[in-house]
Amino acid sequence: YADKYIGVKGITSGNSGRVSIVLPSAVGYAGKDFVVVDESGQLSSTSRFIKIQAISPNQINGQSAITNSTPYTAKTAISDGTNWFAR
């Protein structure tokens, strides 16, 4: 359970354009963080985004998943030992 940086280039055109990242359980691992970055440099659309999911029953900001659809931006998920919180 090391802290991780995950850079995602995305999927080539013609595919769905969706990338899913599933975080491990947050239970018992307070202070761990994952930084997920869109490194594609491509403008987003409704068909291209990064979905960051939590393993059930964990949640991220009270939801099962969050998305990042802006090029060169990061979402950081930090564990409190029970769930994930993203900024």
Side-chain angles (χ1 to χ4, degrees):
Y1 269 82
D3 297 335
K4 300 288 184 188
Y5 172 94
I6 304 169
V8 180
K9 285 277 194 181
I11 298 174
T12 59
S13 63
N15 292 312
S16 67
R18 293 176 178 90
V19 175
S20 293
I21 309 264
V22 180
L23 299 178
S25 176
V27 176
Y29 295 97
K32 293 300 171 189
D33 66 74
F34 285 81
V35 179
V36 179
V37 180
D38 179 343
E39 294 184 342
S40 69
Q42 300 173 11
L43 293 176
S44 63
S45 69
T46 56
S47 64
R48 197 189 76 69
F49 63 86
I50 301 167
K51 181 177 183 180
I52 305 165
Q53 298 175 274
I55 289 181
S56 182
N58 293 177
Q59 294 186 333
I60 304 173
N61 294 349
Q63 304 172 60
S64 63
I66 60 171
T67 60
N68 182 359
S69 58
T70 307
Y72 297 121
T73 60
K75 292 283 186 179
T76 302
I78 301 171
S79 170
D80 71 349
T82 304
N83 285 299
W84 295 100
F85 295 89
R87 56 180 172 171

